[in-house]
Amino acid sequence: MLESLRRIVQEVNAAGELEAVLEIIVSRVRTAMGTAVCSVYLYDAVLDRYVFRATEGLNSDLIGQAGLAVGEGLVGKVAKREEPINLDDAEAHPDYRHLPGLGEERFRGFLGVPIIHQRKVLGVLVVQEAERRRFTESDEAFLITMSAQLAGVIAHAEATGAMGSGTDALRTATFHGVSGAPGIAMGDAVVVMPLADLSAVPSRRCDDPDSEIVAFQRSLAAVRSDIKSLAKNMESQLRREEHALFDVYLSMLDDQALGQEVVDLIRGGEWAQGAIAQVMREHARTFEQLEDVYLRERAVDIKDLGRRVLAHLQQAVEVEREYPENTILVGEELTASMLAEVPEDRLVGMVSVRGSSNSHVAIMARALGLPTVVGAQDLPFIRLDNQSVIVDGYVGQVICNPSADLCQQYERQLEEETRVSRGLDALRDLPCESSDGHRVPLLVNTGLMSEVGRSLDQGAEGVGLYRTEIPFLLRDRFPSEEEQRLIYREQLQAFHPKPVTMRTLDIGGDKALPYFPITEENPFLGWRGIRITLDHPEIFLSQVRAMMKASVGLDNLRIMLPMISNILELEEALELIYRAHEELLEDGLELSLPPIGVMVEVPAAVYQAQEMARRVDFLSVGSNDLTQYLLAVDRNNSRVAGLYNSFHPAVLRAMLSVVKGAHAEGKPVSVCGEMAGDPGAAVLLLAMGYDMLSMSAYNLPRVKAVIRQIHSDDAIALLKTVLRLDNVRHIQESVEEFLVERGISRHLRPLLAV
Ligand code: PEP
Ligand code: MG
């Protein structure tokens, strides 16, 4: 059973178009279960019915015609109850509804299971038998498993189909994800892909097939010669059978048919990379479906060959990539380096299929003020290249090929946004204080040099979190101590005399350095942040020395330690910093020891906030990780993004307990996670007594505008109310209501995902 399940899912996955997906499902499930009938009904939102979409065994003339309303007939009942129905005699059931012409009357045994994707019933999968019998428990389990595995593929194929295809005029289609960075962007999609990844190559039209064919043939020749020399170099080390593999490769490359298929596609208007990816994927799929295990394994070779040709093609065109004026960067998983490749003045928005609102790409997007949607799982991104797209970063949706009406609607929203932003400019030099004069300095989170100007323009009172890993991420090796000193000096100088809080290297989790790969089962609970740098004191010492040297004569440096989970780690890190400081004094540099702080971002540190505060000069709460660890919700996983919420009562109580711990030792405490940049959450943090808030430059004026309109007594009353509430939805509603009552614009209201 497991094997046939695996094969069906694999075949369906490869089918692409919805019609093909459904046909494969009904045919293969019928064979695997040995039933007389298998059919699929899918929900049509316009008709509000479950429409008969595919069958083997019933009258296929009625495909697309017949259907049942929600709750109507057995199919409607399966959908409504979200449960299987297993009957030995369907017709005898009181809910049975006869659909004329379908030919069901010949069949008695009935088993229907719902097809559910992300809590939504997409449709119903039905098998039927002529004889009067109940399906066995194992049949039922098989069909449920099948349906659960196929739901995602069906949802994806439906979403893709919604856009139209091939030569049809493209239709407006909306895809949902979560907000990565607020704002609206309208522009043209540029799909970016990791190098040599056959599954990520977008389909793109080419204007000059002849030169694409030449490029393809050049790459083919290059791979042929690579393989020949590889085979030659390894001649002595390989056994005969292994050597034969190289011959297989070479014969595949010589195979006219395969090359010819690629050339035909290019002549049909597809670019060379798209053509090679399509042909290789298709051939690999054929091999994967073969019964013979040896032949099935050859799919791996085909993919490898495809990747090699693709890599050569990509190297040849790397420099030619052009970005339109209003580029919307789209990719399966966007990375900081993909973002860095687009000229800054051309990039207006981003869409990532993977990730969630607290992934680092989203944090960078917020820092850069780029409207972004992440976790748009059903987006057929490889077909989006060059298409017109609207990114609605407020609600987390992407609209492809928007109609003229929709464009006008969004243009009006953009105007309103610009009006609000202009109003915010006037606040630049005003202090951030409540209407009764309670001051809360607002600082910025930075990482890129390009953010500095924007931060100062927004009236930042310093840097509350400088993510030092970002310059590390954009290189191909660890920067030297002197290189680091120069980078840090630039930051310190730009903000001088305002304070700059530099966090020591925080890699691991979802932040992998290309030149220092870490492979772990569970990276967020693994080798991260301070754990890595304590294991590599040479990296830590050189970094803190570079920071301190950079601050000579400026004295505005603060050092902050990420991911501290116990006192021993903290003491070890402090020892290393004291040692680095002494070494520098011995070298004759004149500098005082900078203030040192701990990031509270692990639940253990919440419970030891006071003991930690006693040993350092300040605390800063990393609410992004703290929320992730308190709620056991991976901040990067779009499947559970709905559960990630910093308004959760447990998070609010933890935040309150950290302030108490720090203040009991007379030490200041700030928040530098995204929570601080949410205008609604900032009101609660002010009421809790946080001394400073640090956020993206984009959010800073928004938070200031809100705080300046609030009386601190009202903020305290709101905090008291929400601390009595036991669920996140009610808390968020109370905060929203509080802001609405005070006439605070929609553009300034909470941004954190629900
Ligand atoms: C945090 O965890 O809240 C934080 C500020 O650090 P980062 O987002 O870089 O992990
Ligand atoms: Mg963190």
Side-chain angles (χ1 to χ4, degrees):
M1 266 316 193
L2 195 61
E3 181 55 17
S4 59
L5 197 88
R6 189 189 67 79
R7 298 277 293 284
I8 298 176
V9 172
Q10 199 173 46
E11 229 184 304
V12 171
N13 256 314
E17 303 278 322
L18 183 62
E19 302 312 317
V21 162
L22 299 180
E23 269 168 34
I24 294 173
I25 292 175
V26 290
S27 138
R28 303 297 185 271
V29 171
R30 184 168 87 143
T31 313
M33 294 184 71
T35 56
V37 175
C38 180
S39 315
V40 175
Y41 297 75
L42 289 188
Y43 181 67
D44 183 316
V46 178
L47 303 173
D48 193 22
R49 293 174 84 73
Y50 287 90
V51 176
F52 179 61
R53 292 293 298 269
T55 190
E56 279 228 346
L58 297 182
N59 179 5
S60 57
D61 291 345
L62 288 190
I63 286 178
Q65 319 277 322
L68 292 151
V70 182
E72 187 189 12
L74 295 174
V75 165
K77 197 169 168 91
V78 170
K80 188 166 178 204
R81 287 178 34 185
E82 302 184 2
E83 266 179 351
I85 293 185
N86 184 354
L87 302 171
D88 55 359
D89 188 357
E91 250 187 85
H93 193 279
D95 284 322
Y96 176 78
R97 163 111 161 63
H98 179 245
L99 289 176
L102 208 58
E104 273 189 308
E105 47 288 341
R106 288 176 286 132
F107 305 104
R108 314 295 286 269
F110 173 101
L111 172 60
V113 301
I115 306 169
I116 302 181
H117 178 61
Q118 293 175 348
R119 299 190 178 194
K120 258 179 39 201
V121 181
L122 301 181
V124 178
L125 179 59
V126 178
V127 287
Q128 287 168 283
E129 273 297 24
E131 67 205 68
R132 206 178 150 143
R133 76 157 173 110
R134 247 179 106 82
F135 285 89
T136 63
E137 268 192 28
S138 121
D139 287 334
E140 202 172 312
F142 177 80
L143 205 61
I144 290 173
T145 317
M146 194 84 246
S147 159
Q149 291 220 29
L150 294 176
V153 193
I154 294 178
H156 191 76
E158 266 195 318
T160 311
M163 240 167 61
S165 63
T167 47
D168 301 350
L170 292 166
R171 292 190 287 270
T172 300
T174 303
F175 300 92
H176 300 275
V178 291
S179 165
I184 288 157
M186 301 170 79
D188 297 317
V190 172
V191 178
V192 285
M193 56 195 149
L195 286 180
D197 181 347
L198 290 171
S199 61
V201 179
S203 174
R204 195 174 281 167
R205 295 216 48 89
C206 73
D207 302 327
D208 183 0
D210 288 340
S211 65
E212 288 290 294
I213 291 171
V214 171
F216 165 62
Q217 276 159 351
R218 244 188 240 137
S219 309
L220 212 55
V223 174
R224 200 172 282 137
S225 117
D226 284 357
I227 290 181
K228 271 193 186 140
S229 57
L230 206 67
K232 198 158 183 307
N233 292 345
M234 298 181 74
E235 212 158 17
S236 56
Q237 303 157 34
L238 294 180
R239 290 197 310 260
R240 267 218 7 233
E241 319 82 83
E242 288 164 343
H243 206 267
L245 199 59
F246 286 99
D247 296 334
V248 173
Y249 272 128
L250 283 169
S251 67
M252 280 184 193
L253 286 176
D254 286 336
D255 180 1
Q256 276 304 309
L258 202 146
Q260 196 53 47
E261 278 179 48
V262 177
V263 170
D264 288 347
L265 274 178
I266 300 177
R267 290 219 188 284
E270 182 69 28
W271 68 322
Q273 293 189 36
I276 183 84
Q278 278 179 38
V279 169
M280 291 313 213
R281 283 198 305 249
E282 192 61 43
H283 280 273
R285 198 175 299 147
T286 312
F287 274 78
E288 274 162 358
Q289 281 157 19
L290 296 174
E291 293 290 338
D292 184 291
V293 178
Y294 174 80
L295 288 175
R296 220 157 60 207
E297 291 295 312
R298 299 286 66 77
V300 178
D301 301 333
I302 294 187
K303 284 191 203 152
D304 183 50
L305 194 62
R307 272 194 289 268
R308 284 167 187 271
V309 181
L310 194 58
H312 275 281
L313 270 172
Q314 287 172 335
Q315 269 165 15
V317 295
E318 216 175 342
V319 281
E320 291 168 19
R321 179 86 226 185
E322 278 193 9
Y323 295 94
E325 293 252 319
N326 292 320
T327 295
I328 308 249
L329 206 61
V330 178
E332 185 170 20
E333 186 150 34
L334 292 180
T335 62
S337 52
M338 290 172 174
L339 199 154
E341 268 170 33
V342 192
E344 210 190 321
D345 56 340
R346 304 213 147 203
L347 186 58
V348 296
M350 301 200 289
V351 181
S352 182
V353 171
R354 301 241 185 106
S356 81
S357 58
N358 281 284
S359 307
H360 284 90
V361 69
I363 289 174
M364 280 185 71
R366 288 195 284 267
L368 296 169
L370 286 172
T372 294
V373 171
V374 290
Q377 288 185 67
D378 290 325
L379 184 77
F381 71 100
I382 54 173
R383 298 189 34 211
L384 239 62
D385 212 41
N386 278 329
Q387 288 191 31
S388 148
V389 166
I390 296 177
V391 176
D392 186 336
Y394 289 113
V395 296
Q397 69 185 19
V398 186
I399 303 166
C400 304
N401 314 303
S403 62
D405 275 358
L406 261 176
C407 286
Q408 270 181 9
Q409 200 179 313
Y410 273 99
E411 267 153 19
R412 278 198 297 274
Q413 270 214 50
L414 266 174
E415 279 161 25
E416 164 72 3
E417 219 188 65
T418 318
R419 205 181 50 72
V420 171
S421 299
R422 248 187 251 121
L424 295 175
D425 288 347
L427 301 177
R428 186 187 176 282
D429 297 317
L430 297 176
C432 176
E433 59 187 16
S434 58
S435 60
D436 54 319
H438 182 99
R439 277 267 293 132
V440 191
L442 300 188
L443 291 84
V444 272
N445 295 346
T446 60
L448 295 169
M449 207 47 215
S450 58
E451 294 164 58
V452 170
R454 193 174 309 117
S455 307
L456 290 167
D457 283 350
Q458 307 287 17
E461 297 184 59
V463 176
L465 165 64
Y466 172 60
R467 290 185 164 96
T468 57
E469 59 278 3
I470 293 181
F472 277 66
L473 283 168
L474 302 176
R475 270 158 216 264
D476 55 8
R477 57 170 174 78
F478 281 111
S480 69
E481 191 168 318
E482 179 57 12
E483 280 171 329
Q484 291 186 57
R485 187 188 71 82
L486 293 173
I487 301 170
Y488 303 154
R489 179 94 187 160
E490 225 179 336
Q491 279 281 324
L492 292 165
Q493 234 158 6
F495 284 91
H496 186 259
K498 299 181 177 102
V500 174
T501 314
M502 296 199 169
R503 172 170 77 183
T504 62
L505 192 63
D506 185 23
I507 52 171
D510 67 337
K511 288 179 285 192
L513 298 178
Y515 46 89
F516 190 68
I518 303 168
T519 315
E520 287 181 318
E521 283 277 308
N522 220 335
F524 278 110
L525 297 183
W527 209 39
R528 267 201 84 179
I530 199 75
R531 300 171 184 181
I532 297 183
T533 47
L534 287 181
D535 286 350
H536 278 281
E538 76 289 8
I539 297 177
F540 188 79
L541 282 167
S542 121
Q543 185 176 38
V544 291
R545 264 199 311 262
M547 288 175 179
M548 289 193 267
K549 282 199 273 184
S551 78
V552 172
L554 297 173
D555 270 343
N556 57 339
L557 167 70
R558 296 162 22 115
I559 295 181
M560 188 157 78
L561 304 165
M563 280 292 292
I564 296 282
S565 62
N566 66 61
I567 295 289
L568 294 177
E569 270 171 349
L570 173 58
E571 286 178 343
E572 254 184 274
L574 288 174
E575 275 309 310
L576 288 172
I577 298 175
Y578 300 150
R579 197 168 106 196
H581 180 239
E582 268 158 34
E583 280 167 12
L584 294 175
L585 293 182
E586 281 163 21
D587 288 349
L589 292 184
E590 271 187 35
L591 44 89
S592 47
L593 186 71
I596 303 171
V598 163
M599 278 190 84
V600 178
E601 47 184 354
V602 175
V606 172
Y607 291 101
Q608 286 201 291
Q610 188 169 347
E611 289 100 318
M612 302 242 176
R614 198 173 301 144
R615 289 165 170 82
V616 291
D617 303 296
F618 65 93
L619 297 186
S620 186
V621 181
S623 57
N624 305 338
D625 277 314
L626 187 58
T627 304
Q628 140 166 290
Y629 293 125
L630 272 176
L631 305 185
V633 177
D634 180 345
R635 62 193 266 190
N636 232 358
N637 182 343
S638 42
R639 275 208 192 128
V640 287
L643 294 173
Y644 184 101
N645 194 318
S646 300
F647 285 108
H648 190 294
V651 178
L652 296 183
R653 286 175 206 172
M655 302 295 296
L656 190 60
S657 119
V658 176
V659 190
K660 287 188 183 150
H663 287 177
E665 294 296 319
K667 302 288 168 61
V669 57
S670 60
V671 179
C672 62
E674 294 303 302
M675 194 178 178
D678 178 285
V683 173
L684 298 178
L685 297 173
L686 166 98
M688 287 182 194
Y690 275 91
D691 302 290
M692 287 194 290
L693 301 177
S694 188
M695 61 203 67
S696 69
Y698 174 89
N699 286 333
L700 192 144
R702 286 162 172 76
V703 169
K704 192 192 276 188
V706 170
I707 288 183
R708 287 182 60 85
Q709 291 181 58
I710 305 288
H711 192 287
S712 56
D713 288 347
D714 293 343
I716 290 168
L718 173 70
L719 178 65
K720 276 201 182 129
T721 309
V722 302
L723 285 175
R724 279 195 298 266
L725 299 174
D726 60 7
N727 87 65
V728 66
R729 201 165 298 155
H730 293 157
I731 292 178
Q732 230 163 349
E733 280 163 9
S734 297
V735 174
E736 170 78 13
E737 205 175 294
F738 175 89
L739 298 174
V740 171
E741 275 168 8
R742 282 155 186 78
I744 287 168
S745 151
R746 195 175 80 78
H747 292 272
L748 303 177
R749 297 221 287 273
L751 306 166
L752 292 177
V754 188

